[in-house]
């Protein structure tokens, strides 16, 4: 059974022909495999619905929060004249969503030097490499920059150290009202040291709903405020996400989030395909891959199942970019270990295209290019690569957006968030926590001399001296 799911009026198409045994041969999903999905998937969607009804999945209600959207729009209207730049300080879930959406919806080609149509430019400073971070201090004007510090916990070392530097910068160079005019704090409404500082100093704040985890928070003030300021149509984004939320709660074969989760779960658990390579064929969507791999990996890479038993199966997501990585990673996907699924993300109609001039007709190796467009070439490279992988018995899956628009991007991101939660149920793990990242943070605190973490400093030193003989200089 070769299947193509196409919703003519939809925001997203999932084509999984190239996952089926009928197309890729051994290693593909058989009709029996696909039939076996029905029951667990129905149970997982039921679980999703029941948890949603109990108020345990508030990210699904975010698209309907008209009050927040209005608040962000108001902020954006007053900010457009005032600011040349919005500098977001945040990391992980506090940074990747706004980066993905800004890149998708305000691509470089549509921005002027200072931002599209006079909108402030959005810069998301997630990393703390001083070489990179220092350039912001050198190039930005503290009088016309809005610094938006975003941290749900209010304690993340990377973000808070950036905040301390920028707070000082604004205070010294931003003019007398800088702390009220050029600083926006997005954090938990009641807890955390950042909230305490903001309340003590009467800073302008926006809340992150307590029940929404970082990687599910792009449609809270975390993403909406900076994106609205930078000119993104957040209403469109929310409208697309709202349709996705309603679709994702349906127990129906047209539930794309469930289908996506179920197919990948089958590939991982039945076919040893425990790597998922996400390859958008669009520069504007490249950052969606960064956002997705954090969502997938941090949510599903769990040592323990909810019942306390050891979790042995998960699918590691990695990113690539089409067509660039055809010349870098494709060889490995094609002939390397047969442990991967390639996930293509394409666009039916790109916003811009460029005609290739019909010159050098006398050269057979170039003549076929002339008169066609770069968009056609990109699209055929995607389709050709998918077919080549299939012929080589390498399962692959294609997501297609009809266009890149606020609605389709909102739909895509919300669908992938829902798929992640459904996947958690299928694997039997909690997709909403991230216990594995805590230990590294504790060692950092120990090394940085934070009170209460000296034990970790000692443990680090122990590990280091034991391994000295293995260091070559
Ligand atoms: O998805 C997550 O929960 C994490 O990636 C967090 O967003 C990240 O660690 C940043 O946390 P915070 O917003 O508390 O600074």
């Amino acid at each position: 059974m070769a299947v193509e799911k196409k919703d003519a009026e939809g925001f997203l198409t999932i084509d999984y022909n190239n996952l089926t045994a009928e197309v890729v041969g051994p290693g593909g999903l058989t009709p029996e495999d696909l039939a076996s999905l029905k029951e667990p998937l129905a149970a997982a969607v039921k679980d999703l619905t029941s948890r949603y009804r109990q108020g345990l999945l508030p990210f699904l209600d975010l698209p309907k929060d008209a009050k927040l959207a209005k608040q962000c729009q108001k902020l954006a209207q007053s900010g457009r004249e005032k600011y040349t730049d919005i500098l977001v300080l945040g990391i992980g879930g506090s940074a990747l969503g706004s980066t993905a959406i800004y890149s998708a919806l305000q691509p470089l080609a549509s921005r002027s030097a200072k931002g599209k149509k006079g909108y402030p430019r959005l810069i998301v400073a997630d990393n703390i490499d001083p070489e990179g971070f220092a350039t912001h201090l050198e190039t930005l004007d503290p009088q016309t920059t809005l610094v938006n510090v975003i941290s749900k916990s209010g304690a993340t070392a990377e973000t808070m150290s950036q905040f301390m530097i920028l707070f000082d910068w604004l205070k010294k160079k931003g003019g007398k009202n800088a702390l009220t005019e050029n600083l926006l704090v997005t954090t938990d409404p009641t807890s955390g040291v950042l909230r305490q500082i903001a309340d003590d100093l009467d800073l302008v704040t926006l809340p992150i709903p307590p029940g929404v985890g970082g990687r599910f928070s792009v449609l809270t003030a975390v993403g909406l405020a900076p994106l609205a300021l930078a000119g993104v149509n957040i209403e469109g984004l929310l409208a697309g996400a709202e349709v996705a939320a309603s679709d994702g709660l349906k127990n129906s074969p047209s539930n794309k989030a469930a289908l996506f989760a179920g197919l990948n779960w089958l590939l991982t658990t039945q076919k040893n395909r425990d790597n998922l390579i996400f390859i958008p064929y669009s520069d504007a969507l490249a950052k969606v891959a960064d956002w997705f791999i954090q969502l997938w990996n941090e949510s599903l890479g769990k040592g323990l199942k909810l019942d306390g038993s050891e979790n042995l199966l998960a699918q590691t997501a990695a990113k690539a970019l089409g067509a660039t990585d055809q010349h870098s990673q494709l060889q490995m996907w094609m002939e390397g270990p047969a442990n991967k699924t390639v996930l293509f993300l394409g666009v039916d109609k790109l916003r811009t295209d460029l005609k290739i001039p019909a010159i050098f007709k006398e050269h057979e190796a170039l003549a076929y290019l002339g008169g066609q467009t770069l968009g056609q070439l990109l699209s055929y490279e995607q389709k050709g690569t998918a077919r080549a992988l299939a012929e080589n018995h390498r399962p692959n899956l294609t997501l297609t957006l009809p266009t890149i628009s606020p609605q389709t991007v909102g739909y895509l991101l919300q669908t992938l968030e829902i798929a992640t939660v459904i996947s958690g149920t299928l694997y039997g793990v909690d997709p909403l926590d991230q216990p594995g990242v805590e230990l590294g943070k504790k060692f950092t605190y120990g090394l940085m001399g934070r009170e209460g973490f000296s034990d970790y400093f000692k443990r680090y030193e122990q590990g280091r001296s034991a391994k000295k003989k293995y260091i070559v200089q």
Side-chain angles (χ1 to χ4, degrees), residues 278-283 320-326 333 378 381-382:
F278 191 176
I279 179 163
Y281 272 68
S282 150
D283 287 352
L321 177 65
T324 306
D325 283 309
Q326 288 177 204
W333 309 340
L378 186 65
E381 293 220 12
Q382 180 197 322

Side-chain angles (χ1 to χ4, degrees), residues 127-188:
N127 207 1
I128 44 167
D129 180 344
E131 283 194 8
F133 196 65
T135 60
H136 301 312
L137 300 181
E138 284 153 20
T139 54
L140 293 173
D141 179 347
Q143 314 241 355
T144 62
T145 297
L146 175 70
V147 176
N148 182 192
V149 54
I150 305 179
S151 176
K152 181 160 189 238
S153 61
T156 303
E158 293 89 341
T159 305
M160 294 314 287
S161 56
Q162 290 177 331
F163 168 64
M164 288 156 84
I165 294 170
L166 265 293
F167 184 90
D168 193 51
W169 180 72
L170 285 178
K171 223 172 145 187
K172 288 183 178 146
K173 301 187 174 169
K176 70 177 180 359
N177 295 327
L179 294 186
T180 43
E181 298 278 320
N182 296 65
L183 184 58
L184 171 63
V185 176
T186 308
T187 190
D188 186 276

Side-chain angles (χ1 to χ4, degrees), residues 91-94 150-154 156 159 213-215 294 298 434 441:
I91 200 160
S94 290
I150 305 179
S151 176
K152 181 160 189 238
S153 61
T156 303
T159 305
R215 53 195 179 274
Q294 189 235 359
E298 208 160 279
Q434 56 285 326
K441 283 188 194 171

Side-chain angles (χ1 to χ4, degrees), residues 34 73 108 209 219 295 303 364 404 414 425 457 459 473:
L34 291 169
Q73 281 299 18
L108 283 178
L219 300 179
L295 175 72
E364 177 274 324
I404 303 175
Q414 186 78 331
T425 306
F457 178 74
R459 278 163 62 178
Q473 277 178 332

